[in-house]
C-alpha cells in the first residue's frame, strides 16, 4: 500500500517537472519552424483541404501549405525553402505534384534540411502578385530570406539534386551576367563594346520585374556567343540624366548601341530565345555584300522591296549614311551593298546611289521598276530613311502580316477585299484583279492602295460595315482623318463605280461608317445604355450632365465596378438632369474626344461643355463618385447654367 502511494507521488512529481519545462520552451520555434513532419502528421493531412487559418502550419503529402499569414514567418525561420505557386486547375501543376511531394519527403531529412512548400495562387493572389507570378507552376527558392528563381528540373531526383546543391553553406549565386550601368561607367562600357543591348528600367515597374530573369538568362547565353554580346541595364529612376539623354519615356525601354550609336530595339523580349536570336541577328553589317550580278539577281526579295547601295569601293565615305541606316533597320527591309561594276552597269546605276527595287510580284506597268537616290556629301541617314519610306510600297501592295505597319501612316488608304492568294494555282486570278485596281490607283496618286484577303480579314471588313456583303470584291477606305468609309457592295466589278466612290470621298460627299450596336428598345436598368448611334442624343445632350463609363465585356475591373456603378445610378435617380450611362467601347465607335485607351474609362460630360469632357481619375467608390459629380455638376444637384449676357 505504502509502495503504491510512493509510486503515485513520484509520478506526480515527474509530471510537474515536465510541465515547467514545457512552459519555459520557446513557443515561436515550435509553431513556425518547419521541421520534418511526422508520419502521423502526414497521414492526418494527406487529404485535407486548403483551408489555412492563422499562422499554423499544415502539410499535404509532405509539402508545407503556405498562406498570407504564415509565409514570411516560414521564410524567415528556415534557411532554405522552395515554394511552388500553383493553380488547382493547372495541368502542369498536377503533373508536378507527385514529383514535388516525393522530393519534399527526402529533402526534409537532408543535411541541411530543405523545406518544400506551396501556395495556391488563385486563393492567395496577394502573394502571387507580390512575387510576380504570371504562370503556373512558378517555382522560387529562398535562401536566408533572399528570393531566387528556380531554374532546375521538375522531376523528383532533379529537384533533390538542384536544391541540395543550393542548400550547401558555401553556395552562392553566379555573378549577374547583366552589367549595371551608371553615369560614371556608361560611356566607358558602351564604347568598349561594338554591340551592346541596354535596358532602361524602374525598380517598381512590374513589366521590368517580369523581364529581369529572362534578360539575365539571355545575357548568360549571349556571353557564350562568338563573338560575345553584352547586355546591360540602367536604373532610370536613379540615372535621370541618362534617361533624359536617351529620351526614355516608359519602362522597360531597350536600346541597341552599335559602335556607340543608339537605336531602338525592335524585337520581341517575351523569352530568352527572342532576345538571343534578335541580338545575334544584329552582328555584322545590316547590308549584305553582294559580289556579282548573278548573286544580285538571286538576292532580290520575291514579295517585298529590296534596297541596294551601289558604291565603287568599301572605303567610299559616302556609303556611311546608307550603312548606318541599314544597320539600325535590318529587320525592316532586305538590304544589300554592291561594289561590283558589272552589276551596277547592268541596271545603269551610277556609283554612290541607293536604289529601292520593287518586287517582281508587285510590279505593274503603271510604275517604275526601281527608284534611285544619288548620295552626296550632305546626304544623311535621315535622308536615306525618307527616300526609302517614300518608295517602300508598290502602287498596289498586299496588306498583310509584317507589311501592315508600313500602311499605318499612309492615309487615305483604299483597301480592296477579295480572295488574295499568290500560290501557283491562284496567283493568276489574284494578279488579274490587282492589275485592275492598279489601273484605278494610277489616277489617284494621293491615295495609297492595297489588296486584302477577305477570308482571313473578315474583322477588318466589318470595320467598314462590309462583314455581310457576300460579294466577290469589296472596297473600304480609311480617310485622312481616320474615319472609315465602306463602298456599297458591287454585284459585278466595275472600275467606274470605284472611281466614283473615290471622287465622292475627295469632294467630302461620303458618309463615314459608324460601328454601333443596336440601341435597346427600352432602358431597363438603373444605368442608361448608350450605343454609337445614340451617343449624340444621350451623352452630347446639352441639357444634361452625363457620366459615361466606357467598358469592355471581358474586363475584370469593369465587372468589379458594375455593382458600385449601379448603386450610384440608383442613389442619384432623382437628379433629373443627370444621366449615369455606360457603353461597350469594343462594339461601338467613339468620338475622338471620348477615346478609350484602357478599361474602364470614365468621362463626365457637363451640359455646358460637351467638347471637352472631364476624365474621371478618382477612387471607384460610391462616395468618391458622388463627391466628384457634385463638384463638377452644371445643371444637376440644384445647379443651373449661367446664361451669357
Amino acid at each position: 500500500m505504502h509502495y503504491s502511494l510512493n509510486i503515485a507521488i513520484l509520478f506526480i512529481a515527474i509530471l510537474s517537472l515536465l510541465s515547467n519545462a514545457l512552459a519555459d520552451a520557446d513557443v515561436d520555434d515550435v509553431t513556425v519552424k518547419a521541421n520534418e513532419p511526422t508520419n502521423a502528421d502526414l497521414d492526418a493531412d494527406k487529404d485535407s483541404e486548403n483551408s489555412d487559418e492563422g499562422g499554423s502550419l499544415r502539410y499535404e503529402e509532405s509539402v508545407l501549405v503556405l498562406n498570407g499569414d504564415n509565409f514570411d514567418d516560414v521564410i524567415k525561420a528556415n534557411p532554405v525553402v522552395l515554394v511552388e505557386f500553383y493553380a488547382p486547375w493547372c495541368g502542369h501543376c498536377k503533373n508536378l505534384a507527385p514529383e514535388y511531394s516525393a522530393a519534399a519527403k527526402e529533402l526534409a531529412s537532408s543535411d541541411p534540411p530543405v523545406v518544400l512548400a506551396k501556395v495556391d495562387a488563385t486563393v492567395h493572389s496577394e502573394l502571387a502578385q507580390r512575387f510576380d507570378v504570371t504562370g503556373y507552376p512558378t517555382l522560387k527558392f529562398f535562401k536566408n530570406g533572399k528570393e531566387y528563381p528556380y531554374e532546375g528540373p521538375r522531376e523528383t531526383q532533379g529537384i533533390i539534386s538542384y536544391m541540395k546543391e543550393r542548400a550547401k553553406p558555401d553556395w552562392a549565386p553566379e555573378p549577374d551576367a547583366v552589367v549595371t550601368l551608371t553615369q560614371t561607367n556608361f560611356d566607358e562600357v558602351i564604347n568598349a563594346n561594338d554591340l551592346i543591348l541596354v535596358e532602361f528600367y524602374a525598380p517598381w515597374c512590374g513589366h521590368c520585374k517580369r523581364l529581369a530573369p529572362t534578360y539575365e538568362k539571355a545575357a548568360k547565353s549571349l556571353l557564350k556567343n562568338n563573338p560575345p554580346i553584352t547586355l546591360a541595364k540602367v536604373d532610370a529612376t536613379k540615372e535621370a540624366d541618362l534617361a533624359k539623354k536617351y529620351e526614355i519615356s516608359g519602362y522597360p525601354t531597350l536600346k541597341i548601341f552599335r559602335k556607340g550609336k543608339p537605336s531602338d530595339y525592335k524585337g520581341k523580349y517575351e523569352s530568352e530565345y527572342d532576345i538571343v536570336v534578335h541580338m545575334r541577328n544584329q552582328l555584322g553589317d545590316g547590308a549584305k555584300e553582294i559580289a556579282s550580278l548573278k548573286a544580285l539577281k538571286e538576292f532580290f526579295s520575291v514579295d517585298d522591296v529590296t534596297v541596294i547601295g551601289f558604291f565603287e569601293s568599301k572605303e567610299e565615305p559616302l556609303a556611311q549614311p546608307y550603312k548606318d541606316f541599314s544597320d539600325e533597320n535590318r529587320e525592316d527591309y532586305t538590304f544589300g551593298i554592291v561594289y561590283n561594276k558589272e552589276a551596277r552597269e547592268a541596271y545603269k546605276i551610277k556609283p554612290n546611289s541607293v536604289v529601292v527595287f520593287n518586287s517582281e510580284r508587285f510590279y505593274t506597268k503603271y510604275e517604275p521598276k526601281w527608284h534611285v537616290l544619288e548620295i552626296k556629301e550632305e546626304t544623311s541617314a535621315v535622308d536615306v530613311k525618307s527616300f526609302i519610306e517614300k518608295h517602300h510600297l508598290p502602287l498596289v501592295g498586299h496588306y498583310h502580316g509584317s507589311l501592315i505597319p508600313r500602311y499605318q501612316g499612309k492615309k487615305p488608304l483604299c483597301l480592296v477585299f477579295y480572295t488574295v492568294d499568290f500560290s501557283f494555282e491562284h496567283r493568276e486570278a489574284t494578279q488579274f484583279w490587282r492589275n485592275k485596281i492598279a489601273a484605278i490607283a494610277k489616277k489617284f496618286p494621293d491615295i495609297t492602295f492595297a489588296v486584302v484577303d477577305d477570308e482571313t480579314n473578315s474583322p477588318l471588313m466589318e470595320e467598314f460595315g462590309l462583314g455581310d456583303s457576300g460579294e466577290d470584291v469589296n472596297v473600304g477606305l480609311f480617310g485622312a482623318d481616320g474615319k472609315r468609309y465602306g463602298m456599297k457592295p458591287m454585284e459585278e466589278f466595275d472600275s467606274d463605280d470605284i472611281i466614283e466612290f473615290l471622287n465622292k470621298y475627295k469632294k467630302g460627299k461620303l458618309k463615314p461608317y459608324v460601328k454601333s450596336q443596336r440601341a435597346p428598345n427600352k432602358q431597363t436598368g438603373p444605368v442608361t445604355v448608350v450605343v454609337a448611334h445614340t451617343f449624340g442624343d444621350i451623352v452630347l445632350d446639352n441639357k444634361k450632365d452625363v457620366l459615361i463609363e466606357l467598358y469592355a465585356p471581358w474586363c475584370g475591373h469593369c465587372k468589379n465596378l458594375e455593382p458600385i456603378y449601379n448603386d450610384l445610378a440608383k442613389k442619384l435617380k432623382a437628379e433629373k438632369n443627370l444621366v449615369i450611362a455606360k457603353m461597350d467601347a469594343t462594339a461601338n465607335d467613339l468620338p475622338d474626344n471620348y477615346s478609350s485607351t484602357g478599361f474602364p474609362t470614365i468621362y463626365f460630360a457637363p451640359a455646358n461643355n460637351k467638347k471637352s469632357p472631364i476624365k474621371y481619375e478618382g477612387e471607384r467608390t460610391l462616395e468618391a463618385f458622388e463627391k466628384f459629380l457634385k463638384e463638377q455638376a452644371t445643371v444637376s444637384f440644384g445647379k443651373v447654367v449661367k446664361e451669357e449676357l
Side-chain angles (χ1 to χ4, degrees), residues 419-454:
T419 302
V420 177
D421 185 349
F422 287 99
S423 66
F424 179 79
E425 187 176 350
H426 301 286
R427 66 187 178 192
E428 185 174 344
T430 295
Q431 293 288 35
F432 173 80
W433 294 112
R434 196 182 70 84
N435 281 304
K436 281 185 171 293
I437 300 302
I440 298 170
K442 69 173 184 177
K443 300 178 181 180
F444 295 91
D446 53 342
I447 297 177
T448 302
F449 288 78
V451 297
V452 190
D453 180 48
D454 54 7

Side-chain angles (χ1 to χ4, degrees), residues 52-319:
D52 307 317
E53 295 180 1
S56 60
L57 301 183
R58 186 168 63 77
Y59 293 86
E60 288 180 359
E61 299 287 352
S62 303
V63 177
L64 180 60
V65 178
L66 298 181
N67 56 44
D69 293 321
N70 64 21
F71 189 96
D72 290 331
D73 289 337
V74 168
I75 298 301
K76 182 179 179 181
N78 295 274
V80 185
V81 184
L82 174 61
V83 181
E84 175 202 4
F85 294 85
Y86 74 97
W89 45 259
C90 163
H92 294 297
C93 304
K94 292 176 182 177
N95 293 336
L96 175 62
E99 304 289 336
Y100 197 67
S101 176
K105 290 178 182 178
E106 181 166 335
L107 285 169
S109 59
S110 65
D111 184 22
V114 177
V115 176
L116 265 61
K118 64 180 180 180
V119 174
D120 184 342
T122 66
V123 174
H124 305 291
S125 56
E126 75 285 356
L127 288 175
Q129 184 176 4
R130 173 179 164 188
F131 293 104
D132 297 310
V133 175
T134 57
Y136 307 117
T138 292
L139 282 80
K140 296 175 180 285
F141 74 91
F142 297 79
K143 184 165 185 179
N144 298 324
K146 187 174 181 181
E147 173 193 348
Y148 298 94
Y150 177 89
E151 298 173 342
R154 296 195 177 186
E155 44 80 25
T156 300
Q157 290 306 315
I159 295 171
I160 292 170
S161 298
Y162 185 90
M163 291 310 302
K164 278 187 174 181
E165 178 64 28
R166 278 144 188 80
K168 293 178 180 178
D170 59 349
W171 179 85
E174 294 180 10
D176 288 344
V178 177
V179 178
T180 298
L181 300 180
T182 65
Q183 186 75 52
T184 304
N185 68 352
F186 189 90
D187 290 340
E188 179 184 352
V189 174
I190 295 298
N191 293 330
N193 291 270
D194 286 345
L195 179 66
I196 183 172
L197 176 62
V198 179
E199 175 202 6
F200 292 83
Y201 74 97
W204 47 258
C205 163
H207 294 296
C208 304
K209 291 177 183 178
R210 286 189 284 275
L211 174 61
T214 300
Y215 197 65
E216 177 66 21
K217 289 178 186 176
K220 289 178 180 177
S221 295
L222 287 169
L223 284 178
K224 299 174 185 176
N225 195 72
N226 186 19
I229 301 172
T230 300
L231 267 59
K233 63 182 180 181
V234 174
D235 182 344
T237 65
K238 289 183 178 180
E239 306 297 336
D241 289 342
L242 288 175
K244 183 179 180 180
K245 179 178 179 179
Y246 294 104
E247 300 178 345
I248 306 302
S249 58
Y251 308 114
T253 294
L254 279 71
K255 287 189 176 288
I256 295 172
F257 288 79
R258 183 178 283 103
K259 295 182 179 179
K261 294 181 179 179
S263 62
D264 292 336
Y265 176 94
K266 298 179 181 179
K268 296 180 180 179
Y269 48 79
E270 295 173 4
S271 68
E272 171 192 356
Y273 176 82
D274 291 337
I275 299 173
V276 169
V277 170
H278 187 81
M279 290 307 297
R280 282 176 177 167
N281 288 338
Q282 303 304 308
L283 290 167
D285 295 328
K288 181 181 178 181
E289 184 177 343
I290 303 167
S292 66
L293 175 60
K294 181 176 181 292
L296 176 60
K297 290 180 178 179
E298 293 173 349
F299 185 74
F300 289 130
S301 175
V302 174
D303 56 1
D304 194 9
V305 296
T306 303
V307 186
I308 305 293
F310 291 91
F311 301 95
E312 287 189 305
S313 72
K314 295 180 181 181
E315 290 72 32
E316 175 56 65
L318 292 179

Side-chain angles (χ1 to χ4, degrees), residues 545 604 606 608 614 627-636 639:
D545 288 335
F604 177 71
N608 64 352
I614 302 167
K627 180 182 177 183
F628 171 81
L629 289 171
K630 287 179 178 178
E631 291 173 350
Q632 302 296 336
T634 59
V635 295
S636 51
K639 296 182 180 181

